[in-house]
Amino acid sequence: MKTIQGMSIAAAAALAAWGGMANAQTLRVVEVLTTNERTGLMEQIASEFEAAHEGVDVELVSVPWDSAFEQILTMTMSGQQIDVLEMPERWISTLAVNDLLTDLGPWLDEWQGADQMTEATMDFARIYDDTAYFLPYGYFVRAMYYNRDLLSQAGYDAPPETWEEFAEISRAVSEIEGKYGYCLRGSTGGFVGWWLAVSGMTGAESWFNEDGTSVFASPEAIEGIQMMLDLYEDGAAPRDSVNWGFNEQVSGFYSGTCAFMDQDPDALIQVRERLGDDEFATAPVPLGPPGKISPPIGMFGWSVPASSENPDLAKDFIGRLMEPEANLEWAKFIGIVPAVEIPEDDEYFNDPVYAGFFEELDSDQYNLVPWPAYLPELGEFFDVIAVETSQAALLGQMSAEELGQTWDEFLTEAQQRWMAENQ
């Protein structure tokens, strides 16, 4: 087995040239969520797969998450061999519309492990164009992590229930020397925080109205965007958080720099290694004036790109990854809700630290919604446009109104184009 870490665009080009010499039974697996712990578990599964398939060599390629979308698009568009690709659901539309993914439907119809998946997993596999372009391996639900000690130092004994309380406590914590209220994520993936603020203020359960116009230019949405900009401008978030991605945001929280962080359960791995369960907790994300909010439910899964040279072997590998015991171990290891049923006596997922996540799953005030993965423009918006424009706004180069209008124009055009072609 070969592992290639932190591949760049230049390395991808070199890999393409080298790929022509690769063994025909080389199974190239590309992962995009790259921590040492995750990669280590993948290497273990790959070694077991090699032992069970004589003559097969699994080559594991780890692409840095912050540049993964652009790199994967480059690799697939140029026809570079990828047999198994780890990807979020929001990339499906971009890749599928360019015929860069294979349909897993015929394999799923025959796969013996299909009846061990949850109903939601089999439904989400066909989230785009009713075609199984990927198989989800787990789900992310966003909750609010909070530092108990920092809240206590600021004079509060409970997490905020509303965005108004969140802003108040964040500013109070920021009065403590060297501390901040909110670990803002300004780089890739940071759009989730902006959506929570917009959904909280509007009560919107979707990005779009029935006529295809987006909700981002409404007065209530602008109020949510302005709240985020004010928190940054007022020093309630670290100045360099404008460039923070996942790792910087999580380390900002577990280091005690910030009191709050909106994150998925996968961040629990790093946080629990540094903080005791008595030092932090999770709560549902705050509510706005409408009294309801729609946190996103995201998902990652496995796909077989059209550039695969070993598609049947690739599906066998996905089947191995999705076996119930392996999927539960994988889910616990990276901190997600698994794609298979959770046993009732599972102590791990019954831990109180999951309270914030499961309260959102159980309460009618929280309407969990997937991203509009059917839009071919979703990946470009989420990972490029939203990042560049929100950073410009945080740096004072755009107003809240201009930011909301920019998002509204792009998304309304995309949604109405899709409606015209599909309704």
Side-chain angles (χ1 to χ4, degrees):
M1 184 184 66
K2 181 192 298 291
T3 299
I4 301 175
Q5 296 276 9
M7 193 174 65
S8 64
I9 292 290
L15 182 62
W18 177 78
M21 298 181 289
N23 188 293
Q25 287 300 302
T26 295
L27 188 72
R28 184 167 294 151
V29 179
V30 175
E31 64 167 359
V32 297
L33 294 181
T34 53
T35 66
N36 291 336
E37 295 86 355
R38 287 169 172 159
T39 300
L41 179 58
M42 175 64 86
E43 289 175 340
Q44 176 186 335
I45 294 174
S47 294
E48 293 171 355
F49 187 81
E50 289 176 338
H53 295 75
E54 185 177 356
V56 172
D57 180 24
V58 177
E59 179 187 278
L60 181 60
V61 180
S62 299
V63 176
W65 170 244
D66 286 345
S67 60
F69 176 69
E70 292 87 350
Q71 293 202 41
I72 295 301
L73 199 57
T74 298
M75 295 172 70
T76 52
M77 292 289 284
S78 61
Q80 296 178 40
Q81 179 192 348
I82 302 177
D83 296 299
V84 178
L85 172 62
E86 179 186 31
M87 58 182 282
E89 85 286 2
R90 63 178 180 270
W91 293 358
I92 295 175
S93 53
T94 301
L95 298 179
V97 77
N98 289 293
D99 296 324
L100 299 174
L101 296 176
T102 62
D103 179 8
L104 300 179
W107 171 70
L108 288 175
D109 291 342
E110 302 294 331
W111 181 45
Q112 294 183 351
D115 59 358
Q116 297 174 307
M117 302 295 107
T118 63
E119 183 177 349
T121 295
M122 299 308 292
D123 289 343
F124 281 131
R126 292 174 169 81
I127 193 172
Y128 178 76
D129 201 26
D130 198 29
T131 303
Y133 285 117
F134 92 147
L135 184 59
Y137 66 63
Y139 307 96
F140 297 90
V141 179
R142 189 58 57 104
M144 189 66 74
Y145 290 66
Y146 63 95
N147 183 305
R148 296 179 187 273
D149 182 56
L150 285 180
L151 261 63
S152 178
Q153 289 184 49
Y156 297 87
D157 59 6
E161 295 183 358
T162 67
W163 283 106
E164 182 178 9
E165 293 174 356
F166 172 80
E168 175 188 311
I169 299 175
S170 292
R171 288 187 169 86
V173 172
S174 302
E175 295 297 321
I176 304 171
E177 185 175 357
K179 304 299 181 183
Y180 301 88
Y182 180 41
C183 275
L184 184 145
R185 181 173 173 177
S187 187
T188 305
F191 178 74
V192 178
W194 296 94
W195 166 249
L196 290 175
V198 168
S199 178
M201 293 301 169
T202 62
E205 297 180 355
S206 167
W207 292 13
F208 302 106
N209 302 304
E210 290 187 1
D211 63 358
T213 57
S214 91
V215 302
F216 291 97
S218 70
E220 294 82 6
I222 300 302
E223 183 180 356
I225 293 172
Q226 187 65 60
M227 178 189 70
M228 295 281 282
L229 296 179
D230 288 344
L231 284 172
Y232 183 76
E233 178 64 24
D234 295 345
R239 298 306 297 172
D240 58 346
S241 63
V242 65
N243 293 315
W244 282 8
F246 174 85
N247 288 326
E248 292 84 1
Q249 184 192 36
V250 175
S251 65
F253 180 78
Y254 67 62
S255 67
T257 300
C258 315
F260 297 117
M261 169 181 72
D262 62 281
Q263 257 302 343
D264 301 319
D266 61 330
L268 281 170
I269 295 173
Q270 295 185 47
V271 173
R272 296 180 86 176
E273 288 177 352
R274 279 91 173 179
L275 297 177
D277 288 354
D278 60 337
E279 296 177 282
F280 82 100
T282 64
V285 294
L287 300 171
K292 61 180 183 178
I293 192 170
S294 297
I297 179 170
M299 61 200 79
F300 270 75
W302 305 109
S303 65
V304 178
S307 62
S308 172
E309 296 182 5
N310 305 289
D312 291 337
L313 194 62
K315 292 162 190 170
D316 287 345
F317 189 73
I318 292 175
R320 170 67 184 90
L321 290 167
M322 296 297 289
E323 289 177 1
E325 289 186 2
N327 182 247
L328 283 170
E329 182 180 2
W330 180 264
K332 291 175 182 177
F333 193 86
I334 65 175
I336 54 174
V337 177
V340 299
E341 296 288 350
I342 300 173
E344 294 182 359
D345 60 349
D346 190 299
E347 295 182 359
Y348 184 91
F349 286 109
N350 287 323
D351 190 301
V353 78
Y354 275 89
F357 302 102
F358 285 110
E359 184 171 342
E360 289 185 10
L361 290 168
D362 295 336
S363 172
D364 292 337
Q365 291 178 299
Y366 300 90
N367 177 44
L368 304 179
V369 296
W371 299 127
Y374 54 86
L375 291 178
E377 299 87 348
L378 181 61
E380 178 187 5
F381 173 77
F382 196 98
D383 290 316
V384 181
I385 293 175
V387 175
E388 293 176 352
T389 53
S390 62
Q391 288 179 327
L394 289 167
L395 295 174
Q397 299 165 2
M398 297 177 72
S399 68
E401 290 78 6
E402 291 171 332
L403 182 59
Q405 189 65 38
T406 298
W407 291 354
D408 172 69
E409 291 174 358
F410 182 89
L411 293 170
T412 294
E413 182 178 350
Q415 174 72 1
Q416 293 186 338
R417 182 186 304 114
W418 181 86
M419 292 172 64
E421 294 173 351
N422 294 277
Q423 295 182 0

